[in-house]
Amino acid sequence: MAEAIASKDDYRRYFAADLASHGLTQWRRRDGMRQTELSFQRLLRRLEYLENCRRDPVGRLLAAITRWRYKRRSVLLGFTIPRNAFGPGLSIAHYGSIVVNGNARIGRNCRIHSDVNIGETNGQAPTIGDNVYIGPGAKIFGPIRIGDRVAIGANAVVNRDVPSDVTVGGIPAKVISQRGSNTLVIDGCSAVGL
Amino acid sequence: MAEAIASKDDYRRYFAADLASHGLTQWRRRDGMRQTELSFQRLLRRLEYLENCRRDPVGRLLAAITRWRYKRRSVLLGFTIPRNAFGPGLSIAHYGSIVVNGNARIGRNCRIHSDVNIGETNGQAPTIGDNVYIGPGAKIFGPIRIGDRVAIGANAVVNRDVPSDVTVGGIPAKVISQRGSNTLVIDGCSAVGL
Amino acid sequence: MAEAIASKDDYRRYFAADLASHGLTQWRRRDGMRQTELSFQRLLRRLEYLENCRRDPVGRLLAAITRWRYKRRSVLLGFTIPRNAFGPGLSIAHYGSIVVNGNARIGRNCRIHSDVNIGETNGQAPTIGDNVYIGPGAKIFGPIRIGDRVAIGANAVVNRDVPSDVTVGGIPAKVISQRGSNTLVIDGCSAVGL
């Protein structure tokens, strides 16, 4: 069901889609420090590629090194983000504090802000659709399904299913508008033909 | 009233209880990087032991070094956690952003998530019972008392007393269930006979 | 409309006001590690001075070095704080996670806690008055105006104008008291005659 990087081409396409969802067309190494979040996502995509596709000794070594760098960077930025959880077109808005459970699955073109927690209840974590906007401070948890093009408001606490094309907010989160995430996310996947 | 480490044996028991509350039985140095939060807690317990129990010159020197390491690690992980505030069996779920006031006192087997603030009003901070679960994003402040086995929901804002064995949630937090924290915390203290 | 550092004297006065708003009268280098937040603010004020006032080659070089140090420290502490956004008398309560949009303007003597996001909607960000207290976890966004001496409660989500001298809280934030931020902020600017 969930997409994951399965080849070197996928790796290139995933990161191109991530860039596009940030509103960028090109990665330049000298942007590393300025584009802290993108630099992190690049490392994430590289690690996904190495772990998913490379079984040769050199690949395993590179994976081990990248894993170590990824963990260090994660701690520095306040991110706990598992591999293969996010589809292509991910856009992390800011470093700060983001926790995502290893069993969570999030679709394409997700825009995610800081102080967000996507967690589990009894080991079961959310399945989130495509083009979902997750506002700052939102907490989402349990064996729930969130549709496509959903906007989750700031500080919302989501513990029930959410249909597609709505905005939810509050504690616990309720549908507060029939307008989805249209103007809040960039469809980086389409932009790169993925 | 509040428990604190008063001997080297206490130090061992506290950290054993912390490990047990994380669902682990043993600490291995090579887990340091993977178990970032536990590694931090180990440093906290060591610092509490050194500051509370060691008055000899070597002890003071070790305390000074440990204090410096503790501060550095705290900044890296986004933690502001005072000494002797948490009873044994502490389980910090994730690095990210946790602020606890120096006057707060929290009982045994506390499970605490990220983006939590336990703060003061006019210098007075909460007193929290045993086996309390503090969900991500919860803010708890003022001269209040929170009972035992309480579950505090995600993004709850708690500024009044809470009785034992309930779940609270919302802004301001209200009792939303008579079910307490039973399934949400591990009683690490009992597990190690503390 | 917004104040900004326009001379070396301003730089000194701004940081003196920042210190006073933290309840301090003097900066000592050896406090750098203990006063992590103040040390960060000192770097911010220095960078604002260098970028705003120094056009000579040495000034530009110092600005570049300070910019690099500022970015590094920002990532470590979890801060995304633009230059010239905050008036004098700023008091950042804790490191953790603070995101402020580059178009936001905040007046004098702001007291700001962790897990706060002051963001934009369609490129437009809030304008916030003087002596405003921003509680932990508050999210404030859009083309709104917040008056003077306002207290914004923990985890509040503010997306509409707020008049002066009130307390707001909840999701979405509503006026919950006619008492403003009086007892919650220190008027550091008056303390140093600014």
Side-chain angles (χ1 to χ4, degrees), chain A residues 33-37 76-77 94-97 111 113-115 136-138 154-156 169-171 183-184, chain C residues 68 71-72 74-76 78-80 96-97 99 114-117 120 122 137-139 141 155-157 171:
Chain A
M33 192 68 178
R34 298 178 65 187
Q35 295 285 355
T36 319
E37 297 81 11
L76 180 62
L77 300 185
H94 300 284
Y95 53 84
S97 170
R111 168 83 171 167
H113 279 265
S114 50
D115 309 333
N155 285 351
I171 309 176
T183 60
L184 297 169
Chain C
W68 184 81
K71 175 69 185 183
R72 263 178 69 99
S74 293
V75 170
L76 180 62
F79 294 157
T80 304
S97 170
V99 177
S114 51
D115 308 333
V116 165
N117 193 310
E120 51 87 36
N122 303 321
K139 313 288 188 268
F141 54 89
N155 285 351
V157 175
I171 307 178

Side-chain angles (χ1 to χ4, degrees), chain B residues 150-153 156-158 160-180:
Chain B
V150 169
I152 297 172
V157 174
V158 186
R160 296 201 187 170
D161 287 4
V162 176
S164 292
D165 298 292
V166 298
T167 297
V168 296
I171 308 178
K174 296 194 169 72
V175 173
I176 56 173
S177 148
Q178 296 296 326
R179 217 177 37 192

Side-chain angles (χ1 to χ4, degrees), chain C:
Chain C
M1 187 183 64
E3 289 182 295
I5 290 175
S7 68
K8 190 149 197 178
D9 262 9
D10 278 359
Y11 166 36
R12 285 201 196 98
R13 281 191 289 252
Y14 266 61
F15 188 61
D18 290 356
L19 274 169
S21 285
H22 274 275
L24 299 172
T25 53
Q26 218 191 329
W27 168 256
R28 291 169 306 180
R29 184 168 289 275
R30 68 170 189 273
D31 291 348
M33 193 67 179
R34 301 177 64 188
Q35 295 284 355
T36 318
E37 297 81 10
L38 257 178
S39 168
F40 171 84
Q41 289 188 219
R42 191 157 167 270
L43 206 52
L44 167 64
R45 295 312 187 185
R46 185 172 158 79
L47 182 55
E48 290 178 341
Y49 160 65
L50 289 168
E51 291 190 343
N52 294 355
C53 308
R54 294 283 297 267
R55 299 285 166 206
D56 56 300
V58 173
R60 282 164 187 267
L61 179 65
L62 288 174
I65 294 168
T66 307
R67 201 153 37 232
W68 184 81
R69 289 183 58 207
Y70 182 71
K71 175 69 185 183
R72 263 178 69 99
R73 193 81 65 85
S74 293
V75 170
L76 180 62
L77 300 185
F79 294 157
T80 304
I81 294 181
R83 273 82 91 181
N84 303 316
F86 284 93
L90 171 63
S91 170
I92 300 177
H94 299 285
Y95 51 84
S97 170
I98 296 177
V99 177
V100 177
N101 184 269
N103 294 324
R105 288 294 171 271
I106 300 102
R108 297 168 160 226
N109 304 318
C110 181
R111 169 82 170 169
I112 187 168
H113 279 266
S114 51
D115 308 333
V116 165
N117 193 310
I118 304 179
E120 51 87 36
T121 310
N122 303 321
Q124 293 184 283
T127 302
I128 298 178
D130 295 337
N131 296 42
V132 171
Y133 172 90
I134 304 178
K139 313 288 188 268
I140 308 163
F141 54 89
I144 64 173
R145 289 187 163 271
I146 292 175
D148 299 325
R149 297 169 299 279
V150 168
I152 298 173
N155 285 351
V157 175
V158 187
N159 58 1
R160 295 204 186 169
D161 287 4
V162 176
S164 292
D165 298 292
V166 299
T167 297
V168 296
I171 307 178
K174 295 196 169 73
V175 173
I176 55 173
S177 149
Q178 296 296 327
R179 218 178 35 193
S181 65
N182 260 6
T183 61
L184 297 169
V185 299
I186 298 176
D187 184 349
C189 289
S190 296
V192 301
L194 197 77

Side-chain angles (χ1 to χ4, degrees), chain B residues 71 75 79 97 115 137 139 155, chain C residues 33 36 77 95 115 136 154-155:
Chain B
K71 175 69 185 183
V75 170
F79 294 157
S97 170
D115 308 333
K139 312 290 186 268
N155 285 353
Chain C
M33 193 67 179
T36 318
L77 300 185
Y95 51 84
D115 308 333
N155 285 351

Side-chain angles (χ1 to χ4, degrees), chain B residues 53-85:
Chain B
C53 308
R54 294 284 295 268
R55 300 282 166 207
D56 56 300
V58 172
R60 282 165 188 266
L61 179 65
L62 288 174
I65 294 168
T66 307
R67 202 153 37 232
W68 183 80
R69 287 183 59 207
Y70 182 70
K71 175 69 185 183
R72 262 178 70 99
R73 194 80 65 87
S74 293
V75 170
L76 181 62
L77 301 184
F79 294 157
T80 304
I81 293 181
R83 274 82 91 180
N84 303 315

